[in-house]
Amino acid sequence: MMTKQTINLTIDGTPLQVPAGTTVMKAAERLGIHLPRLCYHPNLSLEGACRVCVVQVKGFNHFMTACSQEVWEGMAVQTNSPEIRQARRDIVELLLDNHPQDCQTCDRDGNCELQRLAYQLGVRERLFEGKKKEFPTDESSKSVIRNPSKCILCGRCVRVCAEVQGVGNLSQHGRGFNTVVGPANLCNMDESVCIQCGQCVAVCPTAAFLEQDHTERVWKALAAEKKHVVVQVAPAIRATLGEMFGLPVGTPVTGKLVTALRRLGFDEVFDTNFGADLTIMEEATEFLSRVSKGENLPLLTSCSPGWVSFLEKFYPEMIRFTSTCKSPMQMTSALIKSYYAEKKGLDPKDICVVAIMPCVAKKFEAGRPEHTMANGDPYTDAVLTTRELGWMIKSYGIDFNVLPEGEFDRPMGISSGAADIFGATGGVMEAALRTAAVKLTGEELGPLEFAEVRGVTGIKEATIKINGMEINIAVSNGLNNAKKLLESIKSGEKNYHLVEIMACPGGCIMGGGQPYPPVYQDPMDPEISRARAKALYGIDAQKQLRRSHENPAIAHLYAEFLGEPNGEKAHQLLHTTYQARSPRGIR
């Protein structure tokens, strides 16, 4: 018997047809009806936990949750009535009255989904009084703060951690009033299998998860007379910072960003893109060496710190396949406190390096013992997310949208378009292939663009033919996809030469430190990812330099300071090691 594919129903008296399996919420959206929601996320499993999307269905004397209830033939739905509005208000009022009353001093003030929903539903007073839940704040992690007192038990963090990232670090503990979300056995985040990606921060509707704040240490450094404060900016920031100031998603703001950083008082404004070009020089050389020897293949990229933490906790047996290259941030920082310090006649101890990153895991990466100088000082002193930088610019009183266009300082401000696309999933792979193709052919006429690795698909595979050689490649974003890829490699099902893995879905443009989405758009929305990626590809297309090895500043750096790619000095400053870490993740 064939299942009926089209369902006829009415919503608020309006008839419509939808495919079988459609939820009431999705059906209502076809009529322009946006039902309130907190626990719902289109990229996660259906939870039905918050209940604020309740609707009335004819023939039933109880409300139903629109996010999880599928439509049926002849269904009559009412989405609005005095009773429904009162029920939704009651639910939100109960949430508010078990919530800290600190909106004005909360990091999410003005960008909190609970706050926004309370306003929309007309909640104007607190009607319920009683004991509030009080749990200690966990600030043990170098990247992520967990504040369970602000948790509304929507379950988004639990689901994104398990379903998208494949980590499964978070779950609900206890029952009733004492229910709390946290790692296994409610241990500290620092002692858990957390890989610091910050996707829990991105999807949290309140401030139950936040990034560790580095703004105060940056303000302090900028105010110190004896400190020479240098800032570097990741590729993805130029495609996302404008959103903090009301600009449309995907608006490139490179020049204004540089000017804003100068206004804040930074002594030098460098581009992490320089480090990205350098990463390609080192990684392409490493890759071609492995291919020629036929060993430790596929080469796995190492730019994403969340992915590296995942590797060390979940797949330590795959460490030998991973590139030893530091990330572009760490390469740039190492050169600022060596090459740049030498040229400027500065003591590295007097230099403070601040990195503007889309990723909260970069805060963890900056503090790894492998990334410290001989005296124990870190190469990167502070990491600001896009959100933190946006707040600092606003706090300083800078009108971002009217700023003139500025240019990065040299020598670490010159970069190729290949470096810009690092921020999008597939960008590192494409940048590597642009240079590897030239090295394999000995000609500068190789392809500039590799469309096979572009797009937001979770896993992309292709075979690239260069100079008669077939190179099997794969690109993944989101660590559940990485799991699938790694398992296929381990089983021998797939035979790749080069694999790019990014921890966050969509790559750095959708990192855990990026701006919260506009109203009615969800974190991880593919349309946001596409718009931001389009901005980076547009910047790349407009540049005269399109390949990393064409960067004259990189060539000068090797000639003057580093020697040759993968040489002794390059390995000392630009490469690192990884190790198995505990606790081990369950995969």
Side-chain angles (χ1 to χ4, degrees), residues 184-201:
N185 301 313
L186 289 178
C187 67
N188 288 334
M189 292 287 280
D190 192 44
E191 299 168 346
S192 71
V193 294
C194 174
I195 51 94
Q196 323 280 340
C197 68
Q199 287 302 308
C200 55
V201 181

Side-chain angles (χ1 to χ4, degrees), residues 7-35:
I7 300 294
N8 296 280
L9 73 155
T10 61
I11 296 181
D12 295 340
T14 301
L16 75 157
Q17 291 184 331
V18 296
T22 302
T23 63
V24 173
M25 179 176 283
K26 287 297 182 184
E29 287 175 354
R30 291 191 172 206
L31 297 177
I33 300 170
H34 181 87
L35 296 172

Side-chain angles (χ1 to χ4, degrees), residues 235-236 238-240 243 249-252 417 420-427 430 453-456 460 506-510 514 525-541:
R238 66 211 68 204
T240 60
E243 297 168 36
V249 174
T251 302
D420 287 290
I421 63 177
F422 260 58
T425 175
E430 184 168 353
V453 300
R454 295 187 176 186
V456 297
K460 300 179 283 286
C508 301
I509 50 176
M510 301 297 281
Q514 293 285 33
D525 187 333
E527 291 307 312
I528 296 177
S529 182
R530 290 188 185 96
R532 291 172 175 174
K534 184 179 179 181
L536 294 180
Y537 288 121
I539 294 170
D540 164 45

Side-chain angles (χ1 to χ4, degrees), residues 169-343:
N169 182 52
L170 300 171
S171 59
Q172 291 191 0
H173 303 262
R175 300 186 67 181
F177 186 78
N178 296 316
T179 304
V180 61
V181 171
N185 301 313
L186 289 178
C187 67
N188 288 334
M189 292 287 280
D190 192 44
E191 299 168 346
S192 71
V193 294
C194 174
I195 51 94
Q196 323 280 340
C197 68
Q199 287 302 308
C200 55
V201 181
V203 301
C204 180
T206 61
F209 286 95
L210 292 170
E211 65 263 54
Q212 281 284 5
D213 186 3
H214 283 191
T215 57
E216 283 305 316
R217 68 172 73 174
V218 176
W219 286 128
K220 184 177 179 180
L222 289 169
E225 292 183 6
K226 293 184 179 180
K227 277 292 181 184
H228 185 78
V229 190
V230 179
V231 66
Q232 56 163 303
V233 185
I237 307 302
R238 66 211 68 204
T240 60
L241 182 64
E243 297 168 36
M244 298 289 295
F245 303 95
L247 295 176
V249 174
T251 302
V253 292
T254 311
K256 295 182 186 300
L257 164 60
V258 172
T259 302
L261 291 168
R262 293 198 200 288
R263 297 273 176 92
L264 286 172
F266 289 99
D267 296 298
E268 298 280 357
V269 182
F270 289 146
D271 197 350
T272 311
N273 279 13
F274 180 88
D277 277 337
L278 192 58
T279 299
I280 291 303
M281 294 299 294
E282 293 294 317
E283 197 166 79
T285 303
E286 182 183 18
F287 170 63
L288 294 173
S289 173
R290 292 196 194 185
V291 168
S292 66
K293 297 174 183 176
E295 62 183 24
N296 289 335
L297 293 172
L299 183 140
L300 308 176
T301 61
S302 55
C303 293
S304 167
W307 145 240
V308 170
S309 292
F310 183 80
L311 168 78
E312 292 178 324
K313 289 183 176 180
F314 285 80
Y315 287 89
E317 71 275 16
M318 304 290 280
I319 286 176
R320 68 187 180 93
F321 296 105
T322 308
S323 169
T324 62
C325 290
K326 291 180 179 179
S327 70
M329 179 186 86
Q330 286 305 134
M331 285 194 181
T332 305
S333 294
L335 288 172
I336 290 171
K337 290 194 175 181
S338 57
Y339 173 62
Y340 171 76
E342 185 179 296
K343 289 180 73 69

Side-chain angles (χ1 to χ4, degrees), residues 302-445:
S302 55
C303 293
S304 167
W307 145 240
V308 170
S309 292
F310 183 80
L311 168 78
E312 292 178 324
K313 289 183 176 180
F314 285 80
Y315 287 89
E317 71 275 16
M318 304 290 280
I319 286 176
R320 68 187 180 93
F321 296 105
T322 308
S323 169
T324 62
C325 290
K326 291 180 179 179
S327 70
M329 179 186 86
Q330 286 305 134
M331 285 194 181
T332 305
S333 294
L335 288 172
I336 290 171
K337 290 194 175 181
S338 57
Y339 173 62
Y340 171 76
E342 185 179 296
K343 289 180 73 69
K344 294 285 286 188
L346 294 170
D347 187 334
K349 291 182 180 179
D350 296 329
I351 299 176
C352 175
V353 177
V354 178
I356 315 298
M357 294 287 137
C359 171
V360 300
K362 288 293 183 182
K363 295 174 185 280
F364 172 77
E365 180 185 81
R368 289 175 71 118
E370 310 94 272
H371 298 320
T372 55
M373 298 185 293
N375 65 357
D377 289 343
Y379 281 113
T380 308
D381 298 283
V383 174
L384 298 175
T385 62
T386 316
R387 292 189 294 263
E388 287 175 289
L389 175 62
W391 175 81
M392 288 185 71
I393 293 171
K394 292 175 182 179
S395 176
Y396 203 83
I398 296 171
D399 189 348
F400 185 84
N401 292 338
V402 301
L403 291 178
E405 301 291 309
E407 292 186 359
F408 288 106
D409 291 309
R410 302 192 175 196
M412 285 184 270
I414 303 173
S415 65
S416 73
D420 287 290
I421 63 177
F422 260 58
T425 175
V428 177
M429 175 68 73
E430 184 168 353
L433 289 173
R434 289 182 186 183
T435 290
V438 172
K439 287 183 176 290
L440 282 169
T441 62
E443 300 176 356
E444 295 291 332
L445 301 178

